[in-house]
Amino acid sequence: MAATRDDVARLAGVSSSTVSYAISGRRTISTETRLRVERAMAELNYTPNAFARGLAGSRGGILALHYPYGRRGVTSSEFEYVAAATDRARARGYHLLLWSNPIDDVEGLGSLVSEGLVDGVILMELTAHDARVPVLTAARIPFTNIGRPDDARSLWFIDADYEAMGRLAIDHLADLGHERVFFLSQTIGAAERGSGPLVRATRSLAAPAADRGVQIETHRADISVSGGRAAFDAFDARPSRPTAVLAFNETALAGFVQAAALAGRSIPHDVTVVALSIGDLAADMTSPPLTTVSPPGVEIAAAAVDHLADRLEGRREEAPHLLVAPALVVRGSSARVGHR
Amino acid sequence: MAATRDDVARLAGVSSSTVSYAISGRRTISTETRLRVERAMAELNYTPNAFARGLAGSRGGILALHYPYGRRGVTSSEFEYVAAATDRARARGYHLLLWSNPIDDVEGLGSLVSEGLVDGVILMELTAHDARVPVLTAARIPFTNIGRPDDARSLWFIDADYEAMGRLAIDHLADLGHERVFFLSQTIGAAERGSGPLVRATRSLAAPAADRGVQIETHRADISVSGGRAAFDAFDARPSRPTAVLAFNETALAGFVQAAALAGRSIPHDVTVVALSIGDLAADMTSPPLTTVSPPGVEIAAAAVDHLADRLEGRREEAPHLLVAPALVVRGSSARVGHR
DNA sequence: CTGAAAGCGCTTACAG
DNA sequence: CTGAAAGCGCTTACAG
């Protein structure tokens, strides 16, 4: 059915290795020969067989994007991540495979790698001591990370700039006159213990808060809508309430906002809400829409693919540590203290 | 580095073809031989090479999930789709590749297929006259569809049961006493013209509405938050307003809900809202959370993988047309007419 | 600038 | 029940 390289060679009147070199460009070829080969390929509608290429060559042109499954909080922006990575991979001439394991099943990852199917891996949602890192290192397969483990010195990674995120959020709140902030944080499960993002987001608030004289009161909510409702109850029960909420828990925030509305507390008149790491779509779903400080997920995913492709193609040597700046988008949920 | 089939054969003291047959089970093997082979494989930590398998055999164990990109409305539940498909594929012993093209770039799809990498394809988000269908048919590659084109007689597909969806929604509204319903529909772009879901969702309302004496007033909103705000203005400006909104436009609904809140219209006291085809996560983001009638996206994705795998493995003959029943989840946005 | 040939690691008839 | 061997369609040294 499908044409092979030999068919093309025959039609073009050259050897099959010449066809290969014409395609890969790995050795000089006369313009005339190249044209004959190209015409033959077009006529036969020829596409090289991916398996044969992968088996014979050192590279197969397939990347894997790995996310840990069974996580509780699936944020709504994740599909954009995946789509952006897919599109960028294709633009660079790669296929993108989706891989997923429970975060503690690293053997599964190991055997996937040893099938030899993929040239490199992109790891999503790194935890502080991510068990996937040593597995991929031992397998000697190139990989890059979205997020970062605690010890990332020799690793390639792209991460949100949490320090900038914390400062942006605190500055926005301080500029609006807020002096006490209720930090709607997350409970940490066994798997996420010491999860990088939460730890770094939390830490990033301390210095700017001190600088701006803002007092932070942390509440760890369950990653669930009901966890958010309970958080509101805790918030609302305080004799003297903070004037602003800073959330790093998308799912709980939904419950918090609902409970606030039910209790007759108006956002932003009675309480200002700023959300960390929430996509535009989700931010626009609530009324009022949420003021957010978020890293640009789509850019991060595309940049991760570029990192890995550059590395595989030998265009980069040293391991880059790329921090992506977040953006503050002021929507309707934040206002000046005492605003009416 | 990695062990090959020959290494295993040598260690087990058998021929390499025996190792292959021990793995595939395609011919009878004495228990003792099988055990020796298994021990050798375990000791060498052997994993078959995926490229060699794909090249030599007829099946490579890779499926592709294809979504059209550049669509405007990315719903928040799509990642769950993809994750569910990935997990099910892995459970059945397949890798899942993500493919994406602009909906009108069918040549791109054609050349992806002709690389021979994948055993079969799952098409997402079918339109009424989807150009991908003839391409895959001509390529003689097995595929199954999530959604369906107009002419789906000979195709394998899984779709939401729109008739059931419409009836469930209208019955719920009628049971609550609503007699006039504002249908928050979508504008249709060139690409989605005659898009299956919108047409079928719209049609599905007519019969039950007639049965229950419900009057439907359709408004086509842009798929955007501002489109939803404009829709609310149109809704609110009517001298005599419908008492309920039925939405098939997730993004616009967000704007509608915001505008309603701004205008001081309370949901569900002043207006009942029921949303079609919205995921649980998004439904819980608003306050109040939304009553929804939605198909179970995760089940559909997993079922599509099963269909395709069954077909590839010769377990099914005739093309199944599977309609998945939607579920009504009553949350806080719907109430009896005149409810206080 | 181009060709003939070995080899990648499997699967699967063909023999026995 | 098992083995020896051809072949899948490429890439890439090796020659010229």
Side-chain angles (χ1 to χ4, degrees):
Chain A
M1 186 77 225
T4 72
R5 196 199 46 172
D6 281 335
D7 299 326
V8 175
R10 215 169 297 127
L11 183 61
V14 299
S15 77
S16 52
S17 56
T18 295
V19 176
S20 284
Y21 287 115
I23 293 173
S24 70
R26 283 188 209 276
R27 81 180 181 193
T28 32
I29 289 192
S30 71
T31 317
E32 202 205 310
T33 305
R34 183 196 312 287
L35 283 176
R36 283 225 307 284
V37 170
E38 279 167 4
R39 239 176 274 128
M41 291 200 298
E43 182 162 340
L44 294 174
N45 221 303
Y46 170 70
T47 315
N49 178 283
F51 286 122
R53 181 146 42 88
L55 180 59
S58 51
R59 297 180 30 224
I62 305 181
L63 310 179
L65 182 66
H66 188 278
Y67 64 92
Y69 78 49
R71 298 180 327 105
R72 280 182 296 172
V74 176
T75 64
S76 49
S77 56
E78 280 179 29
F79 182 75
E80 297 172 14
Y81 251 75
V82 174
T86 302
D87 296 343
R88 182 62 124 252
R90 185 144 157 60
R92 303 269 316 225
Y94 292 89
H95 288 280
L96 191 75
L97 217 54
L98 231 40
W99 276 356
S100 158
N101 298 93
I103 192 135
D104 48 343
D105 173 24
V106 283
E107 280 191 35
L109 216 205
S111 46
L112 284 174
V113 169
S114 59
E115 286 180 35
L117 232 202
V118 310
D119 297 336
V121 181
I122 298 169
L123 253 29
M124 290 175 70
E125 306 192 24
L126 276 280
T127 58
H129 301 283
D130 201 299
R132 297 171 295 176
V133 169
V135 170
L136 295 188
T137 304
R140 308 182 139 278
I141 188 170
F143 68 104
T144 189
N145 304 284
I146 296 181
R148 48 162 297 185
D150 272 357
D151 180 4
R153 277 167 303 180
S154 56
L155 298 181
W156 292 48
F157 71 78
I158 297 180
D159 200 8
D161 186 341
Y162 283 92
E163 282 199 29
M165 216 162 99
R167 189 161 294 277
L168 221 44
I170 295 294
D171 277 346
H172 177 61
L173 291 169
D175 289 348
L176 295 173
H178 297 278
E179 295 175 347
R180 289 179 56 209
V181 171
F182 184 81
F183 181 43
L184 180 58
S185 178
Q186 317 174 1
T187 53
I188 33 179
E192 299 98 359
R193 182 95 43 204
S195 152
L198 178 57
V199 170
R200 287 201 298 289
T202 305
R203 259 192 223 132
S204 75
L205 302 175
D211 290 351
R212 299 296 303 262
V214 170
Q215 187 186 329
I216 297 198
E217 306 174 23
T218 298
H219 179 95
R220 291 188 182 281
D222 208 43
I223 302 180
S224 68
V225 174
S226 60
R229 292 201 201 99
F232 175 79
D233 292 342
F235 168 81
D236 206 46
R238 306 202 172 194
S240 123
R241 284 193 299 273
T243 56
V245 173
L246 182 58
F248 190 66
N249 187 333
E250 176 169 355
T251 315
L253 180 56
F256 190 99
V257 168
Q258 285 166 26
L262 264 178
R265 303 278 179 272
S266 157
I267 297 171
H269 300 129
D270 298 323
V271 54
T272 271
V273 172
V274 171
L276 299 174
S277 274
I278 286 197
D280 295 338
L281 247 90
D284 273 324
M285 278 303 284
T286 62
S287 48
L290 299 171
T291 292
T292 56
V293 179
S294 298
V298 164
E299 275 177 43
I300 291 182
V305 170
D306 277 332
H307 262 191
L308 187 55
D310 284 349
R311 180 174 185 178
L312 293 172
E313 293 161 15
R315 302 195 193 186
R316 293 187 94 118
E317 296 297 319
E318 57 347 321
H321 292 182
L322 182 59
L323 295 184
V324 178
L328 166 70
V329 180
V330 179
R331 295 189 182 87
S333 70
S334 58
R336 177 159 293 283
V337 149
H339 163 85
R340 265 289 124 197
Chain B
M1 186 79 223
T4 70
R5 194 200 48 172
D6 281 336
D7 298 328
V8 175
R10 215 170 297 127
L11 183 61
V14 299
S15 75
S16 51
S17 57
T18 296
V19 175
S20 284
Y21 287 115
I23 292 172
S24 70
R26 283 187 209 278
R27 79 181 184 192
T28 33
I29 289 192
S30 72
T31 317
E32 201 204 312
T33 305
R34 181 195 314 286
L35 283 175
R36 284 226 306 283
V37 170
E38 279 167 4
R39 241 177 273 127
M41 292 200 297
E43 181 163 339
L44 294 175
N45 220 305
Y46 169 71
T47 317
N49 178 284
F51 287 121
R53 181 145 42 87
L55 181 59
S58 52
R59 295 184 28 225
I62 305 181
L63 310 180
L65 183 66
H66 188 278
Y67 64 92
Y69 79 46
R71 295 182 330 106
R72 283 182 296 173
V74 176
T75 65
S76 49
S77 54
E78 281 180 27
F79 182 75
E80 297 172 15
Y81 251 75
V82 174
T86 303
D87 296 344
R88 182 61 123 252
R90 186 144 155 60
R92 301 270 314 228
Y94 293 88
H95 288 280
L96 192 75
L97 216 55
L98 231 40
W99 277 356
S100 158
N101 298 93
I103 192 136
D104 49 343
D105 173 24
V106 283
E107 280 190 35
L109 214 205
S111 48
L112 285 174
V113 169
S114 60
E115 286 181 35
L117 232 201
V118 310
D119 297 336
V121 181
I122 299 169
L123 253 30
M124 289 175 69
E125 305 191 27
L126 275 280
T127 57
H129 302 282
D130 203 297
R132 299 172 293 177
V133 168
V135 171
L136 295 187
T137 304
R140 307 183 140 280
I141 188 170
F143 67 104
T144 190
N145 303 285
I146 296 180
R148 47 161 297 185
D150 270 359
D151 180 4
R153 278 166 304 179
S154 57
L155 299 180
W156 291 49
F157 71 79
I158 298 180
D159 199 8
D161 186 341
Y162 283 93
E163 282 199 29
M165 217 162 99
R167 189 162 293 278
L168 221 44
I170 295 294
D171 277 346
H172 177 61
L173 291 169
D175 289 349
L176 294 173
H178 297 278
E179 295 174 348
R180 288 181 55 210
V181 172
F182 184 81
F183 180 43
L184 181 57
S185 180
Q186 318 174 1
T187 53
I188 33 177
E192 299 100 358
R193 180 99 41 206
S195 152
L198 177 57
V199 170
R200 287 201 297 289
T202 304
R203 258 191 225 135
S204 75
L205 303 175
D211 290 351
R212 302 295 304 259
V214 170
Q215 187 187 330
I216 295 193
E217 306 174 22
T218 298
H219 179 96
R220 292 188 181 281
D222 208 43
I223 303 180
S224 68
V225 175
S226 60
R229 291 201 201 98
F232 175 78
D233 293 341
F235 167 82
D236 207 45
R238 307 203 171 193
S240 125
R241 284 194 299 275
T243 56
V245 173
L246 182 59
F248 190 66
N249 186 334
E250 175 167 358
T251 315
L253 181 56
F256 189 98
V257 168
Q258 285 165 25
L262 264 178
R265 305 275 178 275
S266 157
I267 299 171
H269 300 129
D270 298 321
V271 54
T272 272
V273 172
V274 171
L276 299 175
S277 273
I278 286 197
D280 294 339
L281 247 91
D284 274 323
M285 278 303 284
T286 61
S287 49
L290 299 170
T291 293
T292 56
V293 178
S294 298
V298 164
E299 274 177 42
I300 291 182
V305 171
D306 276 333
H307 263 191
L308 187 54
D310 284 349
R311 179 173 185 178
L312 293 171
E313 293 160 16
R315 300 195 194 187
R316 294 185 93 117
E317 295 299 319
E318 60 343 322
H321 293 183
L322 183 57
L323 295 183
V324 179
L328 165 72
V329 181
V330 180
R331 297 190 181 86
S333 69
S334 58
R336 178 160 292 283
V337 150
H339 163 87
R340 267 288 125 195

